[in-house]
Amino acid sequence: MQHRWTLDPDRLFSAEPSQRAAARELYALVRDLPIVSPHGHVDPALLADPAARFGSPADLFVLPDHYVCRLLHSRGVPMEDLGIPTRDGSPHERDHRRVWQRFADHFYIFRTTPSGLWLSDVLQTVFGVTERLDGKNAQRVYDHLAERLERPEFSPRALYERFKIRILCTTDGAADSLEHHRRLRSEGRLDVRPTFRPDAVVHIDTPGFRDHIERLGAAAGTDITTYADYIRALEERRAVFKALGATATDHGAVTPHAERLGAAEAERIFSRALRGEANTNDAARFSAHMLMEMARMSVEDGLVMQLHAGSLRSHHGALLARFGPDRGADIPVATEWTRNLRPLLEAYGDDPRFRLLLFTLDESTYGRELAPLAGYYPAVLLGPPWWFFDSPNGMVRFLDQVTETAGLYNTAGFTDDTRAFCSIPARHDVWRRVSCNWLAGLVVTGRLDVEDAAELASECAVGLAERAYRLGAGERST
């Protein structure tokens, strides 16, 4: 007979009694604080429409979550069997009960992973599932979830309020209409803000680059035929995002190389890109130049600049061709920050109007490069462990390696970076537990007193992120 499925109330706390006791006390102070989610990928349509629902259990737990899909794929489960639509219209599973059955049959593979922690928390805490998911009870659990998903109290808007989310920021393309954000803004009920993500119109080797530029021009109300037109359109779109509450931009790059081109050279490369004649060297140089331009724009309009570097996107070309991006085949690569960012930081790193948040998938740079950069340049803050390292062990490695050089106040708190809306409180809870346990370790070893630890626990939970993203809690302490 299966035992009742429960969560250990002391999960992620040290087994050493004095540290565990201190962690419990710190966690009790922050457990119920509101959630500030300054970076993520939740679809704003879920919250803009009062009638919106999550769909089936498979829609909620499997299809949008590339963390889930990649691990299932690693065990030989084809993407089409998970219900992922194909680009070419070839067959894929449409029966969500079958998708759920395959997920449940393989639920054991998430043991030891952060996804296992999040999924277990969501199933139990949010939806009241009391039996551990497996292949035998898959359909019974499916029915349980489906029944709840039909209730008004499990709508996206209802759960937003139940989760105590104070602010949620989405990630939106430069040419996005932002219609859902306009609706949310006009209602004034939920604080959901866009984030300006211009990658598709900045990296000229993006497939369909010319089409993306045409959409950018249409959104900005202008024809883009020259580099100067292009820059004005980007500035116009940033202003629209800011008017709808945006406080940040977001930039993805394989490398953080920054280098300013002359106006004439930028025009020549952009013209070649519009004609479909740009080469690999052009793409690298233009991306580096546009990092400088985006930093310049942030100085002028005050939007915080996030830079996510070090992911080789769509490593498996066949997967990209058949299913599109963001399906789990993105792989970290080694990243050099010190030399690559030097031109940008020499130009803007001391400017009090500028704020640059750095996220990496190369942990070897934490102590060697990123912490020293954040420990010197006033503009630089370190984003939390990201993606593959958004895990209990990854969080501890980050805190251990960066805080002695950069200090905790030169970090940007926590961002959940999720497409899976219902995992938001679970992800924040893991961070709060881990950071409280880490602070408790400093208390019991005499490196931090209890009062300071309590203050820092609150900063880790909410305060650092609020100030890093300028989300209503004042500016960073000097």
Side-chain angles (χ1 to χ4, degrees):
M1 182 177 178
Q2 191 178 55
H3 295 293
R4 183 180 176 87
W5 196 23
T6 60
L7 298 169
D8 185 341
D10 287 329
R11 59 192 180 280
L12 304 177
F13 295 160
S14 172
E16 195 279 317
S18 59
Q19 183 173 347
R20 174 169 287 200
R24 286 172 177 161
E25 292 182 7
L26 293 173
Y27 176 67
L29 298 175
V30 302
R31 176 183 55 209
D32 297 322
L33 290 179
I35 288 174
V36 170
S37 179
H39 172 71
H41 301 275
V42 170
D43 184 350
L46 282 174
L47 297 163
D49 181 1
R53 296 295 184 268
F54 291 111
S56 75
D59 283 320
L60 180 58
F61 285 94
V62 183
L63 275 71
D65 196 334
H66 61 89
Y67 288 78
V68 169
C69 293
R70 67 178 292 274
L71 210 56
L72 290 170
H73 182 268
S74 77
R75 301 304 300 162
V77 181
M79 287 288 179
E80 56 265 38
D81 286 358
L82 296 175
I84 307 299
T86 54
R87 281 180 156 181
D88 59 7
S90 57
H92 65 278
E93 184 62 75
R94 297 178 183 273
D95 186 336
H96 282 195
R97 283 189 176 273
R98 291 184 178 180
V99 172
W100 183 262
Q101 185 67 52
R102 294 182 182 106
F103 171 58
D105 286 341
H106 294 84
F107 192 71
Y108 67 91
I109 70 174
F110 297 102
R111 294 168 180 166
T112 76
T113 70
S115 291
L117 284 173
W118 304 329
L119 289 165
S120 298
D121 194 343
V122 174
L123 286 168
Q124 294 179 56
T125 305
V126 179
F127 291 99
V129 175
T130 59
E131 52 182 329
R132 188 184 308 277
L133 182 63
D134 59 31
K136 294 179 181 179
N137 63 23
Q139 297 308 313
R140 185 163 62 249
V141 173
Y142 185 98
D143 290 337
H144 173 94
L145 294 170
E147 186 274 331
R148 276 159 177 72
L149 286 170
E150 291 180 357
R151 297 182 187 177
E153 62 264 35
F154 287 89
S155 71
R157 285 193 171 200
L159 289 179
Y160 183 104
E161 295 180 345
R162 175 179 162 187
F163 294 163
K164 297 181 181 178
I165 298 174
R166 190 163 79 221
I167 298 169
L168 185 143
C169 298
T170 64
T171 302
D172 312 88
D176 194 289
S177 70
L178 301 179
E179 59 179 307
H180 302 302
H181 285 282
R182 294 181 194 280
R183 181 171 181 174
L184 285 159
R185 191 80 168 173
S186 66
E187 283 188 13
R189 176 181 171 186
L190 307 179
D191 195 347
V192 181
R193 308 184 184 200
T195 299
F196 182 77
R197 179 76 176 247
D199 290 358
V201 294
V202 163
H203 302 306
I204 62 176
D205 54 355
T206 301
F209 175 74
R210 177 61 185 263
D211 293 336
H212 288 298
I213 291 297
E214 289 181 358
R215 286 194 287 272
L216 173 66
T222 186
D223 291 328
I224 300 177
T225 59
T226 68
Y227 172 73
D229 296 335
Y230 165 71
I231 293 296
R232 283 193 296 271
L234 288 171
E235 291 172 337
E236 165 65 23
R237 293 301 295 160
R238 289 172 65 109
V240 170
F241 273 69
K242 188 172 180 180
L244 289 171
T247 64
T249 69
D250 184 29
H251 309 270
V254 176
T255 171
H257 179 57
E259 180 182 1
R260 186 173 295 285
L261 300 175
E265 182 63 10
E267 178 67 66
R268 284 192 291 269
I269 293 176
F270 184 73
S271 295
R272 286 197 291 270
L274 290 182
R275 297 194 302 269
E277 298 172 0
N279 57 34
T280 301
N281 184 57
D282 286 338
R285 295 183 68 206
F286 196 77
S287 292
H289 170 71
M290 288 308 297
L291 279 183
M292 296 292 291
E293 275 296 275
M294 290 297 162
R296 189 266 304 169
M297 292 181 198
S298 281
V299 168
E300 294 177 1
D301 64 22
L303 292 178
V304 174
M305 182 175 178
Q306 299 175 90
L307 178 56
H308 290 81
S311 177
L312 181 59
R313 307 277 176 167
S314 301
H315 188 270
H316 188 196
L319 182 81
L320 175 65
R322 191 166 185 211
F323 297 100
D326 302 319
R327 296 302 182 190
D330 305 326
I331 308 296
V333 294
T335 305
E336 198 280 334
W337 293 89
T338 304
R339 294 180 179 86
N340 275 324
L341 271 186
R342 190 174 186 179
L344 189 153
L345 292 177
E346 287 195 323
Y348 306 114
D350 269 339
D351 195 312
R353 298 170 294 174
F354 184 49
R355 185 162 300 168
L356 175 65
L357 275 57
L358 303 180
F359 294 78
T360 190
L361 290 179
D362 184 355
E363 290 185 305
S364 72
T365 64
Y366 280 165
R368 184 182 69 246
E369 299 183 59
L370 291 178
L373 286 171
Y376 173 74
Y377 285 99
V380 175
L381 295 174
L382 302 184
W386 169 47
W387 205 340
F388 291 91
F389 308 123
D390 180 13
S391 64
N393 290 339
M395 292 170 182
V396 172
R397 291 193 297 269
F398 173 83
L399 291 166
D400 281 344
Q401 291 183 51
V402 308
T403 55
E404 288 188 328
T405 300
L408 202 54
Y409 286 92
N410 284 323
T411 66
F414 180 67
T415 61
D416 49 75
D417 189 33
T418 185
R419 290 173 170 81
F421 178 78
C422 288
S423 75
I424 289 175
R427 291 172 186 245
H428 282 262
D429 186 65
V430 168
W431 168 254
R432 291 176 184 189
R433 287 174 178 275
V434 170
S435 59
C436 285
N437 189 64
W438 180 78
L439 290 167
L442 300 183
V443 170
V444 299
T445 54
R447 297 174 59 190
L448 199 64
D449 65 34
V450 174
E451 290 78 10
D452 284 346
E455 182 177 336
L456 290 175
S458 177
E459 292 282 18
C460 286
V462 180
L464 293 172
E466 281 185 318
R467 289 194 295 279
Y469 288 87
R470 298 182 171 130
L471 289 169
E475 290 298 303
R476 181 174 55 167
S477 300
T478 57

